[in-house]
């Protein structure tokens, strides 16, 4: 910032070698009895003219001179406030991007999966079709599920037809037939011929 004030001191920090404002007043002066020197470990302290500033310091290699850069607290906070506002704006933009991405994922992936889940719960009957814009994997999964449901229905019809054929053969067979447990000899089923023959 333009409002920075510089002070250069000797390596022990007791004498001023240079100052950015009012140099003639302070250059060569001893500052050992000022708060600038006595508050040397504090970041916030009074400048040589008594104005409280936030200071940072560095040592010049080879000479040991200390260079102090000070800034009025209000200016420093204004700079940090602008930085905070910019960072907050970036965070808000990132959050909006994440929310938009979540909405896209919801629309493109989650909804088709929910519809597919409904189809599974209803056994493939009366369930809504997966949306055309769904990812290829979800569409393939829905197609595979549809083929599985069709195969299961066909197998169920075949099993039902086979059971009906067996039932007719069993019931109408002219010889007595029994279905029983070999270990307990408990009878589960008999045909009409067995009822007539054994009573």
């Amino acid at each position: 910032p333009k409002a920075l004030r510089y002070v250069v001191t000797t390596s022990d920090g007791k004498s001023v070698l240079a100052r950015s404002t009012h140099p003639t007043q302070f250059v060569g002066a001893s500052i050992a009895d000022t708060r600038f020197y006595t508050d040397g470990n504090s970041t916030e302290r009074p400048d040589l003219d008594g104005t409280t500033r936030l200071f940072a310091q560095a040592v010049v290699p080879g000479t040991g001179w200390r260079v102090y850069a000070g800034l009025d607290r209000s200016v420093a906070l204004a700079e940090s406030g602008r930085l905070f506002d910019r960072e907050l704006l970036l965070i808000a933009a990132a959050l909006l991007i994440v929310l938009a991405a979540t909405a896209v994922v919801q629309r493109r992936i989650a909804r088709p999966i929910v519809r597919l889940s409904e189809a599974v719960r209803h056994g493939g009957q009366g369930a809504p079709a997966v949306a055309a814009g769904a990812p290829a994997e979800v569409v393939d999964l829905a197609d595979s599920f549809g083929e599985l449901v069709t195969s299961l229905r066909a197998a169920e019809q075949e099993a039902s037809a086979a059971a009906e054929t067996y039932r007719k053969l069993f019931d109408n067979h002219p010889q007595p037939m029994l279905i029983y447990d070999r270990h307990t000899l408990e009878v589960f089923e008999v045909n009409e011929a067995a009822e007539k023959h054994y009573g």
Side-chain angles (χ1 to χ4, degrees):
K2 293 178 181 177
L4 275 176
R5 300 290 184 260
Y6 296 98
V7 177
V8 180
T9 68
T10 55
S11 59
D12 61 3
K14 293 181 179 181
S15 297
V16 176
L17 297 175
R19 186 165 189 265
S20 60
T21 56
H22 308 296
T24 56
Q25 182 181 351
F26 293 101
V27 171
S30 173
I31 56 171
D33 57 347
T34 65
R35 286 195 53 208
F36 182 83
Y37 177 77
T38 58
D39 293 353
N41 293 329
S42 175
T43 302
E44 186 173 4
R45 57 186 157 161
D47 196 348
L48 298 176
D49 61 5
T51 306
T52 301
R53 291 191 170 89
L54 300 174
F55 280 95
Q57 70 174 353
V59 176
V60 177
T63 63
W65 295 346
R66 296 181 186 188
V67 178
Y68 298 90
L71 187 62
D72 286 346
R73 181 181 184 84
S74 60
V75 174
L77 293 179
E79 289 295 318
S80 64
R82 283 191 283 277
L83 179 63
F84 175 78
D85 291 344
R86 188 171 54 224
E87 295 296 322
L88 189 60
L89 185 62
L90 287 173
I91 290 170
L95 183 60
L96 286 175
I97 290 169
V98 167
L99 289 174
T102 303
V104 168
V105 168
Q106 166 70 14
R107 183 172 300 225
R108 295 218 30 171
I109 296 173
R111 281 187 186 170
I113 290 175
V114 167
R115 297 181 119 192
L116 185 59
S117 173
E118 289 174 9
V120 170
R121 261 197 305 279
H122 293 102
Q125 296 178 347
V130 173
E137 294 83 1
V138 175
V139 173
D140 290 345
L141 184 62
D143 291 344
S144 297
F145 175 71
E147 292 170 7
L148 177 65
V149 167
T150 303
S151 298
L152 286 174
R153 285 185 183 147
E156 183 182 26
Q157 289 172 351
E158 287 177 21
S160 180
E164 185 60 30
T165 301
Y166 168 78
R167 171 57 64 191
K168 286 180 182 176
L169 283 173
F170 181 81
D171 286 343
N172 298 322
H173 197 278
Q175 296 295 319
M177 297 183 77
L178 302 114
I179 299 175
Y180 63 93
D181 186 328
R182 301 187 306 173
H183 302 291
T184 64
L185 301 178
E186 180 181 357
V187 176
F188 298 114
E189 196 78 41
V190 295
N191 66 355
E192 193 175 324
E195 285 181 14
K196 287 180 183 173
H197 184 74
Y198 296 114

